Amino acid sequence: MTVNLNEKALQLFEVNEYDAALALLEQVVKEKRTVQSLNNLAWMYLYEEEDVRRAKPLLEEVVALCPNSHFPFNMLGEIALGEKDWESARELLTTSITIESSREAIHNLAVADFHTDRFKQAADGFHAVAEDSDIVRWYEVIARIRNGELAVAKSILDEWNSESAHYLGAIEAADAYVELDCWQEARDMFEKEWKDYFVSPYVIGRYAYVLFRLHDVHACRQVIDQAVEDKQVEIEEEKQEICDEHWSEADKADKVQELHEELKGLQQLFAKLQAGYRPIFEFELHSEGGCYLFGCKQHGHSEWVE
């Protein structure tokens, strides 16, 4: 009966009958708390409801049953990453890989390794699952740099492939070149997409810094002056935005204040560069999730056999 209800719930989920699917999975857990019933309900809570508070104890209950499946370990490992509990994440994801190696676990273990200063392990993990010139390959570049493998990092960037189906972009490659103090390579990459890219104050600062290091003061000032002008226009446009139930006057005021802070930073940027300022490299590693549903026919997952 439990298996039939699970199968019915996943069929409902596949045709976007989400509420009915969730209700069935909750019913299955009430009837019998098994590896499958707890795991599948936890998956729905974690990925569909985005409710870690309800998902986590269910997964801990699953793990206590010592299942020979990587599903609950992957999900708990991902939750641990979100909680910045890096060592717990490493332990859970290592166990997951021991049971069955998966792209998600390898990637997420590399994230945990990076945050615990195991940069070589992180780089090797990202390398194992990266595609040509994608974001994971970029993560690998950053890990190589942090590990002191500067030549390896540069060799990857030098082959950055805009024809790749997984291409991340030139701006990110430029940002990594800055960390290698490769000023001309960084400038070339910035210029590839500058007119087609939403340039945040962070990116403007990094590009202006490169131009300053190349002693092209004229170009540096041009980039900053254009950014200041664009920001002033953005502020005036924001002031004209019509408020409604989704965008209040308070929301608008907060946004205008934020834009004014960005404008102030841009106006001060050149003087700061002259005083020796180097914009700090900013980036964030993202975890990966997946389908960990027992009985999911779409992904070829069999039912759990007790």
Side-chain angles (χ1 to χ4, degrees):
M1 180 178 181
T2 300
V3 170
N4 290 338
L5 286 179
N6 181 72
E7 184 176 349
K8 178 62 175 176
L10 297 190
Q11 288 172 350
L12 289 168
F13 182 58
E14 287 178 7
V15 295
N16 297 318
E17 294 288 341
Y18 173 72
D19 291 339
L22 180 61
L24 268 183
L25 289 175
E26 290 175 334
Q27 179 183 337
V28 174
V29 168
K30 288 179 181 178
E31 292 184 0
K32 191 173 183 182
R33 304 178 78 85
T34 66
V35 168
Q36 176 167 293
S37 67
L38 293 164
N39 180 90
N40 284 9
L41 180 57
W43 188 93
M44 295 291 275
Y45 284 157
L46 181 62
Y47 291 109
E48 296 299 318
E49 297 282 291
E50 297 183 352
D51 191 340
V52 172
R53 182 183 58 82
R54 286 196 290 176
K56 186 177 181 180
L58 295 180
L59 291 168
E60 290 173 336
E61 188 174 342
V62 176
V63 166
L65 297 172
C66 301
N68 188 31
S69 169
H70 66 294
F71 286 179
F73 294 98
N74 271 18
M75 285 189 277
L76 274 176
E78 191 176 344
I79 289 172
L81 289 179
E83 295 174 343
K84 302 187 188 305
D85 187 354
W86 313 122
E87 291 297 347
S88 292
R90 292 190 72 253
E91 182 177 344
L92 288 160
L93 294 164
T94 299
T95 300
S96 173
I97 292 169
T98 300
I99 295 171
E100 182 176 333
S101 181
S102 65
R103 172 191 171 86
E104 295 83 6
I106 293 170
H107 174 100
N108 290 348
L109 178 58
V111 172
D113 282 335
F114 188 98
H115 283 292
T116 53
D117 296 341
R118 296 173 170 92
F119 298 122
K120 180 65 165 66
Q121 293 96 312
D124 291 345
F126 290 135
H127 179 82
V129 295
E131 301 286 354
D132 180 21
S133 303
D134 71 346
I135 190 170
V136 184
R137 186 70 73 199
W138 188 73
Y139 291 164
E140 180 192 347
V141 168
I142 305 309
R144 298 288 180 200
I145 293 172
R146 294 292 174 87
N147 195 50
E149 299 176 75
L150 306 186
V152 176
K154 186 175 185 301
S155 69
I156 296 172
L157 292 175
D158 288 347
E159 298 298 323
W160 210 241
N161 180 17
S162 61
E163 300 302 315
S164 168
H166 308 279
Y167 185 58
L168 174 61
I171 298 292
E172 290 80 5
D175 211 13
Y177 269 129
V178 176
E179 291 305 285
L180 292 168
D181 292 351
C182 294
W183 314 123
Q184 188 57 54
E185 291 90 339
R187 179 178 189 167
D188 292 343
M189 280 295 191
F190 275 125
E191 290 179 351
K192 276 187 177 182
E193 297 177 355
W194 192 252
K195 296 185 183 299
D196 305 317
Y197 190 90
F198 171 73
V199 286
S200 65
Y202 167 76
V203 175
I204 292 163
R206 298 282 282 182
Y207 183 31
Y209 175 71
V210 167
L211 296 172
F212 191 84
R213 290 301 303 261
L214 287 169
H215 308 293
D216 194 340
V217 175
H218 177 69
C220 179
R221 289 303 301 261
Q222 276 190 319
V223 166
I224 295 172
D225 290 345
Q226 184 62 55
V228 167
E229 181 180 328
D230 292 344
K231 189 61 62 178
Q232 289 170 332
V233 170
E234 187 179 357
I235 290 171
E236 291 308 311
E237 290 177 345
E238 184 60 42
K239 289 179 179 178
Q240 301 305 315
E241 278 292 314
I242 298 173
C243 294
D244 54 27
E245 65 272 21
H246 304 296
W247 189 248
S248 67
E249 289 290 347
D251 293 329
K252 180 195 287 191
D254 288 343
K255 181 61 176 180
V256 169
Q257 177 62 32
E258 177 187 329
L259 293 174
H260 272 295
E261 290 297 321
E262 291 179 353
L263 175 61
K264 181 179 178 181
L266 291 169
Q267 290 171 330
Q268 296 173 345
L269 179 57
F270 187 74
K272 290 173 67 176
L273 293 174
Q274 288 180 308
Y277 170 66
R278 176 175 179 140
I280 296 172
F281 178 53
E282 297 177 4
F283 80 108
E284 184 178 357
L285 296 173
H286 296 283
S287 60
E288 287 191 359
C291 177
Y292 308 123
L293 290 167
F294 291 113
C296 176
K297 293 182 179 179
Q298 181 181 352
H299 295 97
H301 298 162
S302 61
E303 300 274 355
W304 175 260
V305 179
E306 296 292 336

